[in-house]
Amino acid sequence: MMTNINRQMDASALYRAVWRWHFIAGLLILPFIFIIAVTGGIYLFKDEINNAAYRDLRIVAPTEAEPLAASQITSNALAAHPGELKAYQPAPTPDRAAEVKILGEDGLKNAIFVNPYTGEVLGTLWDAGASGTPAMYVVRKLHSLEYVGWFGNRIIEAVAGWMVLLTATGIYLWWPRGKKVGTATIKATKGRPWWRDLHAVTGIYSAAFIVFLAMTGLPWSSVWGGYFYDSAYSLGLGMPDGYWSNKPQSTVLTGEALDRTPWIMEQQPMPTSGASSGVPAGLDQVVATVEGLGIAPGYALNMPSGETGVFSASVYPDDITQERVIHLDQYTGEVLYDAGLNDLGALGWAAEWGISIHMGQAWGLVNQIVLLLVCVAMMVMSVAARALRGNTCSLSCS
């Protein structure tokens, strides 16, 4: 009899301890979870939002005519906006404009939108990199708290870890016991029990997805992501050694030079062209080379940086299996490096798939809708938790 009582006391003490951890963890990270959920839900549809908000710049009427040559499109852009040509992105689909990245005399880099069929310059936006537009750039920075600098990165990394703890403790608290606390439906109709059921039921259905989002978001973090990156390479499971062994290397990192590149390659140095001077290969020739190699539509071609720089074509499409990076010697047009998803090691391959799913790219609209529902679930749980804490405080203070 005494043994059963002791077991019940131990179970009750454990339950209270887990509840306290769940309460404290939620109290600490609740505002950040809400921000992550809202901005993440928006960013899932960045392409659709960009195309709708900037339709006059990004969308054109497709015709049966062949698109103009890259040299003509970039010349038109430079004539309208003088400066240094930095990158060229052919129209990814027949109804999209081409983009030309130009570093202006004022030191700012802009994206110039050009009708690929007529050569008409449609307008310009401040270059927002992979985000596509300044509006989505702001959303992305808020999602990662980069506006707070390195400290924001540490906060988001900590929040991701605490989200896993919240999920684990939440499942423990939900799990049915003698009193059958666990519920798969909202049974209460009002008051604190309704908020509790809403929080618990929403959490149990979204738990696995939340943990997945937390874990696949960690590669972008500084500490955990850095350890994962280093471990992948030390185990030979990131990007296998040997790619650069017979090529001269730059001090510029791939992630700094390109808007889009596989995550596992971001800390790798760029290659350099064999000669230090000469006549650069023509833009049309380089475009013909990379497209002849079968690079997927939507790629961007970055211009060489300096006398030893290289042409770099990179694409990060919705179909992650077509992810690819190609570097070419700026003088000879020779392909120095050409690799895609299947050239990566096992951890690099897995990280790329995880990031693609995390961003809602891998399986199109289905992927986007599922993750949007998860983001909504996180917001609902945050609101319900806030209501429960308010009630808890009222009860404990009375």
Side-chain angles (χ1 to χ4, degrees):
M1 183 66 177
M2 186 61 68
T3 301
N4 290 335
I5 293 175
N6 290 338
R7 287 176 179 174
Q8 291 175 2
M9 291 178 62
D10 290 342
S12 178
L14 177 60
Y15 185 91
R16 289 195 300 272
V18 172
W19 186 90
R20 282 194 295 270
W21 274 107
H22 190 78
F23 179 87
I24 293 170
L27 191 65
L28 291 173
I29 69 173
L30 181 62
F32 302 107
I33 290 179
F34 197 85
I35 292 172
I36 289 173
V38 171
T39 55
I42 294 172
Y43 201 78
L44 286 169
F45 296 89
K46 70 178 179 68
D47 291 335
E48 291 83 353
I49 295 172
N50 285 338
N51 288 340
Y54 300 92
R55 184 176 184 82
D56 292 344
L57 298 179
R58 294 169 65 91
I59 305 299
V60 300
T63 70
E64 295 181 358
E66 287 294 320
L68 297 174
S71 57
Q72 182 63 59
I73 292 174
T74 54
S75 290
N76 288 12
L78 286 165
H81 299 273
E84 180 185 355
L85 177 63
K86 301 300 290 185
Y88 165 67
Q89 182 176 331
T93 59
D95 66 342
R96 285 283 302 279
E99 290 185 42
V100 181
K101 306 292 181 68
I102 295 176
L103 181 64
E105 297 174 355
D106 56 2
L108 297 177
K109 188 165 70 168
N110 294 312
I112 317 302
F113 297 85
V114 181
N115 187 314
Y117 305 107
T118 66
E120 177 189 0
V121 175
L122 304 174
T124 180
L125 287 175
W126 170 74
D127 178 33
S131 301
T133 64
M136 285 301 107
Y137 178 87
V138 172
V139 172
R140 181 169 182 163
K141 292 296 182 181
L142 288 173
H143 186 70
S144 60
L145 290 188
E146 287 188 41
Y147 283 119
V148 194
W150 67 268
F151 184 65
N153 185 276
R154 297 295 193 279
I155 291 176
I156 289 298
E157 186 168 12
V159 169
W162 280 89
M163 282 171 66
V164 176
L165 176 64
L166 267 179
T167 304
T169 54
I171 292 174
Y172 176 85
L173 295 173
W174 171 88
W175 198 262
R177 293 174 182 80
K179 296 182 180 180
K180 297 183 179 180
V181 176
T183 177
T185 58
I186 300 175
K187 297 177 180 178
T189 57
K190 61 181 180 179
R192 190 171 190 276
W194 185 84
W195 287 110
R196 181 197 61 207
D197 283 1
L198 177 64
H199 183 82
V201 171
T202 305
I204 204 64
Y205 285 122
S206 59
F209 296 99
I210 292 173
V211 171
F212 174 83
L213 287 176
M215 298 305 295
T216 52
L218 281 173
W220 284 297
S221 65
S222 296
V223 179
W224 192 95
Y227 282 126
F228 180 81
Y229 197 98
D230 293 340
S231 298
Y233 275 99
S234 63
L235 295 171
L237 298 175
M239 194 174 76
D241 293 334
Y243 278 111
W244 309 107
S245 58
N246 61 346
K247 304 291 182 184
Q249 299 177 22
S250 167
T251 56
V252 178
L253 300 180
T254 303
E256 296 173 355
L258 307 180
D259 288 338
R260 293 178 175 86
T261 184
W263 172 83
I264 201 67
M265 289 177 57
E266 289 181 353
Q267 300 303 313
Q268 289 296 301
M270 293 280 288
T272 59
S273 294
S276 59
S277 63
V279 179
L283 179 59
D284 293 337
Q285 172 193 340
V286 175
V287 168
T289 298
V290 297
E291 291 185 355
L293 292 170
I295 195 167
Y299 75 90
L301 178 64
N302 284 63
M303 302 301 113
S305 178
E307 294 182 346
T308 60
V310 297
F311 286 102
S312 297
S314 60
V315 64
Y316 198 88
D318 290 347
D319 181 359
I320 193 66
T321 61
Q322 295 186 356
E323 174 185 282
R324 199 165 177 187
V325 176
I326 303 173
H327 298 299
L328 302 94
D329 188 291
Q330 71 165 297
Y331 302 108
T332 66
E334 174 194 358
V335 176
L336 303 176
Y337 175 81
D338 181 0
L341 182 70
N342 291 332
D343 295 294
L344 304 179
L347 289 180
W349 181 91
E352 290 305 302
W353 265 106
I355 290 171
S356 179
I357 298 170
H358 182 104
M359 295 180 67
Q361 296 181 191
W363 298 300
L365 185 59
V366 172
N367 196 163
Q368 291 172 296
I369 290 175
V370 169
L371 293 190
L372 177 63
L373 291 175
V374 177
C375 290
V376 171
M378 292 167 65
M379 289 184 269
V380 168
M381 284 190 292
S382 297
V383 172
R386 179 66 185 86
L388 284 171
R389 291 190 184 100
N391 290 334
T392 299
C393 182
S394 298
L395 290 172
S396 62
C397 295
S398 60

